[in-house]
């Protein structure tokens, strides 16, 4: 099946099930119709939960090796179809092809990590005789799957961020239901077919496209769903948390990632080039996108000059073209919002150094300086191709500005001063700090998650699996 052909199916019990009511998926750049997918009803979500609950005993009984082999096989299938899969991502998410190809590579790697970690979900031995009265007893812990997982995934990484929920769930022995972004369900439907083809039992994985409010409500209200893993906005994340009851919840929410460039950096051009990629990769529609850059005043002039030069070399075009660096945003609402925020910053005293113009359904990469901390560009998540560069007197001023945010996901620090690097790493209020790297950097096996309104819980295959498993202790009294 071609991934972009018209379909009327949703994925349940290992096959595409056909329904009557659908909605259209459009190419964000050309506005051409790509496909029809189910406008799923709450009853369809209930069917998926029933199927997942029924599949749980079968999935739980699979050996670690069997789960690992299936995940490795799925990775191999996707690698063989890399170009076709990348083209689907480019079309539905309007992601430049070079970035889509990189996402497929990461997806393959994430599934491989999941296969490896499936074999390593081990407990530990406890010496009970360390406590008074514990003589003659051995004990150990094991991890067991918790049950049905509900995953609500975003549009910006429709395959790899979905795999970051699906891979750990299946590796730990849990069935999972995916509610993909309404705008990008095609990659998730493809993934379900690949994993079923790889041997996972019917019901282990379902994809239920459609309205997030009504379908998410079913996931939250059904006691058979033991955990919700959500990636999206803080507003929706807070709503999920308030309604989740005793369910486990992992929330990957917003960010406006900051970065500092110290005067000790001698190769300012190289840092500027990395920062441009960190700011404008996939049109800035990345949770980790480098949004706020603070530069020591002694190197600020040369940094800004280099940054603008590299920015203006980026090529705007159709996402399917190999040469394209930046394309249209996911929808016109995003274009209008980003354009409005740029204008708002300028009205508040910021200067626009380059870009910031409407083009097709996107925005040309925009660079602003002297942006007030109260401007939306600074204090909210832009999720578009916009970056601010503000000068600071020293690293302490940078630290205070970087921490002046409701968010706390990633931060980057470029410095050749080891003491300064370690001090900032300890004092930055973020989940991850990257020294001499942009905050947009992420490897798929590292722990990943935020503080403050960036959410809580951790992804990264090994760490996600621990949050999808129950720790059980078993004691043996061998002197009874």
């Amino acid at each position: 099946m071609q991934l972009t052909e018209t379909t009327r199916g949703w994925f349940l019990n290992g096959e595409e099930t056909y329904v009557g009511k659908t909605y259209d998926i459009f190419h964000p750049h050309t506005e051409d119709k790509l496909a029809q997918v189910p406008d799923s009803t709450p009853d369809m979500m209930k069917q998926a939960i029933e199927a997942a609950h029924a599949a749980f005993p079968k999935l739980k009984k699979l050996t670690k090796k069997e789960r690992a082999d299936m995940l490795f096989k799925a990775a191999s299938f996707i690698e063989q179809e890399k170009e076709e899969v990348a083209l689907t991502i480019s079309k539905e998410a309007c992601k430049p092809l070079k970035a889509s190809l990189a996402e497929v590579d990461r997806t393959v790697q994430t599934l491989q990590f999941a296969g490896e970690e499936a074999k390593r979900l081990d407990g530990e031995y406890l010496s009970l005789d360390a406590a008074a009265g514990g003589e003659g007893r051995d004990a150990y812990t094991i991890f067991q799957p918790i049950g049905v997982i509900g995953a609500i995934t975003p549009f910006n990484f429709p395959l790899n961020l979905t795999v970051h929920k699906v891979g750990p769930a299946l590796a730990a022995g849990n069935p999972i239901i995916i509610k993909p972004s309404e705008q990008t369900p095609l990659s998730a439907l493809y993934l379900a077919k690949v994993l079923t083809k790889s041997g996972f039992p019917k019901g282990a994985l379902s994809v239920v496209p459609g309205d997030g409010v009504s379908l998410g409500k079913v996931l939250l209200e059904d006691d058979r769903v033991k955990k919700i893993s959500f990636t999206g906005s803080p507003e929706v994340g807070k709503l999920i948390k308030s309604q989740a009851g005793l369910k486990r919840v992992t929330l990957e929410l917003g960010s406006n990632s900051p970065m500092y460039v110290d005067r000790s950096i001698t190769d300012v051009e190289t840092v500027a080039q990395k920062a441009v990629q960190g700011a404008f990769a996939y049109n800035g529609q990345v949770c980790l996108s480098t949004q706020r850059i603070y530069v020591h005043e002694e190197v600020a002039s040369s940094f800004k000059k280099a940054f603008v030069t590299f920015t203006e070399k980026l090529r705007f075009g159709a996402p399917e073209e190999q040469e394209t660096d930046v394309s249209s945003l996911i929808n016109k609402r995003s274009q209008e919002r980003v354009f409005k925020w740029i204008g708002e910053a300028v009205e508040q005293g910021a200067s626009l150094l380059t870009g910031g113009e409407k083009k097709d359904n996107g925005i040309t990469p925009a660079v602003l300086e002297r942006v007030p901390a109260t401007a939306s560009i600074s204090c909210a998540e832009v999720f578009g191709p916009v970056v601010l560069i503000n000068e600071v007197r020293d690293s302490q001023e940078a630290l205070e500005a970087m921490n002046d945010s409701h968010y706390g996901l990633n931060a980057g620090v470029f410095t050749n001063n080891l003491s300064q690097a370690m001090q900032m790493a300890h004092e930055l209020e973020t989940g991850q700090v990257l020294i001499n790297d942009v905050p947009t950097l992420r490897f798929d096996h590292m722990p990943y998650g935020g503080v403050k309104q960036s959410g809580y819980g951790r992804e990264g295959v090994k760490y996600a699996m621990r949050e999808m498993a129950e720790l059980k202790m078993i004691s043996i009294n061998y002197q009874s």
Side-chain angles (χ1 to χ4, degrees):
M1 171 183 174
Q2 294 297 312
L3 301 182
T4 51
E5 72 179 9
T6 298
T7 179
R8 299 176 70 86
W10 61 297
F11 199 86
L12 176 69
N13 273 334
E15 60 185 13
E16 197 171 33
T17 304
Y18 291 87
V19 297
K21 189 178 179 183
T22 63
Y23 69 94
D24 295 333
I25 302 296
F26 292 96
H27 192 305
H29 186 69
T30 65
E31 300 184 354
D32 293 336
K33 179 179 172 180
L34 291 175
Q36 288 179 310
V37 296
D39 192 3
S40 303
T41 63
D43 282 342
M44 292 165 69
M45 179 60 82
K46 290 175 184 177
Q47 290 179 52
I49 295 172
E50 182 66 37
H53 184 66
F56 180 42
K58 301 174 189 175
L59 192 57
K60 185 178 180 179
K61 287 181 180 179
L62 291 175
T63 67
K64 292 181 176 182
K65 183 179 186 303
E66 286 172 331
R67 293 179 207 153
D69 288 346
M70 292 173 192
L71 290 163
F72 291 143
K73 188 179 292 185
S76 178
F77 285 148
I78 293 173
E79 191 167 30
Q80 292 168 23
E81 300 171 345
K82 175 179 176 178
E83 286 73 20
E84 182 183 356
V85 179
L87 188 58
T88 295
I89 295 171
S90 288
K91 288 182 177 180
E92 69 170 339
C94 205
K95 179 173 287 191
L97 186 58
K98 62 181 73 175
S100 295
L101 288 165
E103 179 173 349
V104 178
D105 285 338
R106 287 183 60 188
T107 298
V108 170
Q109 183 172 245
T110 303
L111 284 168
Q112 291 170 339
F113 280 135
E116 292 164 3
E117 293 298 336
K119 298 181 178 183
R120 293 198 286 256
L121 189 59
D122 297 324
E124 61 183 355
Y125 170 79
L126 285 83
S127 300
L128 291 188
D129 65 358
E135 312 77 49
R137 292 176 179 85
D138 283 332
Y140 62 95
T141 60
I142 62 172
F143 286 99
Q144 293 184 315
I146 60 173
V148 180
I149 309 291
I152 302 173
T153 60
F155 76 83
N156 58 332
F157 285 83
L159 190 61
N160 193 43
L161 285 188
T162 302
V163 166
H164 264 286
K165 302 179 189 303
V166 172
L170 295 177
N174 300 298
I176 185 166
I177 299 163
I178 306 166
K179 209 308 290 180
S181 166
E182 291 93 319
Q183 296 162 295
T184 57
L186 302 180
S187 295
L189 288 165
Y190 164 76
L191 177 65
K193 294 177 184 179
V194 168
L195 286 163
T196 300
K197 180 181 173 184
S198 301
F200 283 99
K202 290 183 177 182
L205 177 64
S206 297
V207 178
V208 187
D211 176 62
V213 175
S214 60
L215 298 177
K217 186 172 184 288
V218 178
L219 287 172
L220 284 165
E221 291 179 349
D222 197 307
D223 289 338
R224 293 171 296 183
V225 178
K226 302 303 182 183
K227 176 182 171 68
I228 301 291
S229 180
F230 170 78
T231 300
S233 71
E235 293 75 22
V236 177
K238 290 175 185 177
L239 183 64
I240 289 172
K241 184 176 183 294
S242 69
Q243 298 178 356
L246 294 178
K247 289 179 179 17
R248 296 188 186 186
V249 179
T250 295
L251 301 175
E252 297 292 347
L253 308 178
S255 181
N256 55 2
S257 297
M259 177 181 128
Y260 172 59
V261 183
D262 186 57
R263 63 180 176 180
S264 61
I265 294 297
T266 54
D267 190 356
V268 171
E269 282 200 2
T270 297
V271 175
Q273 188 172 23
K274 289 181 179 180
V276 166
Q277 290 302 313
F280 302 124
Y282 183 34
N283 317 322
Q285 296 174 128
V286 180
C287 297
L288 297 171
S289 186
T290 303
Q291 184 174 322
R292 298 179 293 138
I293 302 177
Y294 301 96
V295 188
H296 194 286
E297 59 188 6
E298 291 184 17
V299 295
S301 178
S302 56
F303 178 86
K304 283 187 279 190
K305 181 179 179 180
F307 193 97
V308 169
T309 298
F310 287 121
T311 297
E312 291 176 345
K313 290 180 180 179
L314 296 175
R315 186 175 183 272
F316 189 103
E320 298 91 343
E321 296 176 4
Q322 184 64 52
E323 299 78 15
T324 294
D325 298 302
V326 180
S327 190
S328 294
L329 296 172
I330 191 65
N331 53 44
K332 285 185 178 293
R333 294 192 307 277
S334 295
Q335 182 194 46
E336 290 298 330
R337 176 185 55 78
V338 173
F339 187 73
K340 178 182 177 182
W341 285 11
I342 293 171
E344 173 197 277
V346 172
E347 288 176 3
Q348 294 183 21
S351 296
L352 183 63
L353 299 179
T354 188
E357 300 175 355
K358 290 183 179 180
K359 190 168 184 179
D360 294 320
N361 289 330
I363 299 286
T364 56
V367 183
L368 296 107
E369 64 175 352
R370 296 192 299 274
V371 178
T374 55
S376 297
I377 289 294
S378 178
C379 63
E381 182 178 37
V382 177
F383 229 61
V386 185
V387 68
L388 68 86
I389 304 176
N390 284 359
E391 297 184 21
V392 292
R393 293 184 300 274
D394 52 34
S395 60
Q396 185 59 37
E397 183 181 352
L399 179 66
E400 292 171 3
M402 294 166 83
N403 282 341
D404 184 18
S405 173
H406 296 299
Y407 300 112
L409 191 53
N410 274 21
V413 176
F414 282 86
T415 179
N416 286 323
N417 182 324
L418 180 59
S419 176
Q420 180 188 77
M422 295 309 297
Q423 179 189 356
M424 294 188 74
H426 280 268
E427 295 187 17
L428 280 164
E429 298 167 355
T430 58
Q432 293 79 225
V433 177
L434 299 111
I435 306 299
N436 291 334
D437 270 311
V438 295
T440 317
L441 185 72
R442 179 183 180 183
F443 296 107
D444 294 295
H445 64 308
M446 71 187 231
Y448 173 81
V451 299
K452 299 193 270 192
Q453 290 193 26
S454 288
Y456 65 88
R458 290 296 180 268
E459 289 192 341
V461 177
K462 171 183 175 181
Y463 307 93
M465 286 175 66
R466 295 295 176 98
E467 298 191 13
M468 295 177 176
E470 295 281 10
L471 181 68
K472 176 183 283 187
M473 192 210 76
I474 299 171
S475 169
I476 303 171
N477 184 344
Y478 58 84
Q479 288 187 352
S480 60

